Structure formats: structure tokens, C-alpha cells
Amino acid sequence: MCSGDVGGGDVLDDVAALVAERNRIDALLARRVRAAELSQAAERDGLTSMRPWLRGHCRLSAAAAARVVGNGRVLDHLPALAEAHDAGLVSAEQVAVAAVALTPERLQAAAERGVDLAVIDAVLTQVAIDHPHADFVAAVRHYLAGLDPDGPEPDPTEGRRLMLARHADGTLSGRFELDAVGGEKLQA
């Protein structure tokens, strides 16, 4: 629900109640979509997964469909956050932020480092309920930084570029930029 003292009478009370109800409905939708995904309902309906089913049958955008599917998966891993979402205290947007921390690779990294996901769940849930959205985003980023303090591996091809242009007469011209390693490989 919206936080803080709601001043301004019935209209703001109504807004806070509607936001809480929307959060509850979003939680219910995410759980139902997850159940459909686990039972492979979309496949029995002729589609490959719930994302295209939501896009086609419910006319959701690709991003909205992905968020609903992802949120359903998050609720499986973070029961405290799921309970707060069910109660209307946490928004679908907050659950989607938490999803960033729950990719299969990050779940594996957490398991390898002995991270107690129940503790992370409790802390993130409390931040989601008690603090502004930006603080919740910062808490998730802090967790991710602790999970991988060195950050992502640098992409060795990041500084490389190749641009080609085919002309009307069939000739080809181009331009390229290579880092030192790429340049050595080209010269070899």
C-alpha cells in the first residue's frame, strides 16, 4: 500500500486502497501465469510459452508479458516478498526489480557462495515495504555487488568495430577499428 500518513481525505484514501488492490491483483496474475507455465498450458494451446500466449491472447506488450512471467518465477524463490505482494504491500515493479537478482546464473552464484536466500528475501522485502522505490533498487544493486564484487567480466571484443558497405556496382568497402589483440590477429 502507499506509505506514510494519507492526508487530503477520502480521495487519497481511495488512491492508496486502489494501489494496494492493484498490487494484490498483479500478485494473483503472476501466480496464475506461473501455474500455467509450470503446467505447460500455453504449449497445449499451441504456443511455445506463456510470453507469446500473453501477447496474443491478452494483447500485452512483449515487455509486459515478460515482466508477468518473470514475476511469477520470482515469487517462487522469495516467499516473504511474495507474501507482501499478495497483501498489496509490494508492487509488481518492485518484484520485477528483484527478478534481476534471480537469474539462474545469479542463483547458482549465490548457492556457490553459501548465500542464505531467506535472509536476502527478508531484507529486500522489508526495504520494499518501508522505503522508497529508489532505495529498493539500491538494495538489490548492493546485493548484486556483494554477489559479484569484481563485476562482470570485460568483453574482449568491446572496442572492435567492423562496418561494410556494398555499392550498386557490387564492390565492397569498409572501415574497422580493432583493439591490440584484434589487430595482431588480423595481421597474422
Side-chain angles (χ1 to χ4, degrees):
M1 189 183 282
C2 297
S3 62
D5 200 11
V6 180
D10 294 336
V11 174
L12 293 180
D13 291 340
D14 289 347
V15 169
L18 288 168
V19 168
E21 187 62 24
R22 177 183 178 183
N23 292 343
R24 285 189 286 273
I25 291 169
D26 285 341
L28 183 60
L29 175 61
R31 287 186 183 277
R32 292 289 193 266
V33 167
R34 180 65 174 154
E37 181 179 43
L38 291 174
S39 70
Q40 298 179 331
E43 288 87 344
R44 288 193 307 276
D45 195 36
L47 293 168
T48 57
S49 69
M50 284 305 297
R51 286 181 186 184
W53 191 92
L54 288 166
R55 288 192 315 264
H57 289 277
C58 300
R59 292 166 300 290
L60 295 182
S61 69
R67 186 177 81 189
V68 172
V69 170
N71 284 2
R73 293 174 184 167
V74 168
L75 299 180
D76 281 351
H77 292 287
L78 301 177
L81 190 67
E83 186 178 320
H85 193 32
D86 291 340
L89 301 172
V90 171
S91 71
E93 290 81 7
Q94 289 169 303
V95 175
V97 168
V100 173
L102 296 174
T103 63
E105 299 82 17
R106 289 179 173 146
L107 285 171
Q108 181 180 349
E112 289 169 359
R113 288 170 180 73
V115 173
D116 186 353
L117 205 52
V119 171
I120 300 303
D121 181 22
V123 169
L124 289 180
T125 299
Q126 203 58 53
V127 173
I129 292 170
D130 293 339
H131 296 278
H133 184 75
D135 291 351
F136 180 71
V137 172
V140 170
R141 285 186 183 150
H142 180 73
Y143 165 71
L144 292 174
L147 193 59
D148 186 11
D150 296 332
E153 292 293 320
D155 180 3
T157 63
E158 189 174 329
R160 299 177 187 172
R161 293 182 187 24
L162 172 65
M163 294 160 274
L164 298 173
R166 183 171 304 276
H167 302 285
D169 64 357
T171 60
L172 189 67
S173 64
R175 183 174 177 198
F176 63 90
E177 294 177 39
L178 298 173
D179 58 13
V181 174
E184 286 179 30
K185 287 181 181 182
L186 177 67
Q187 287 177 332

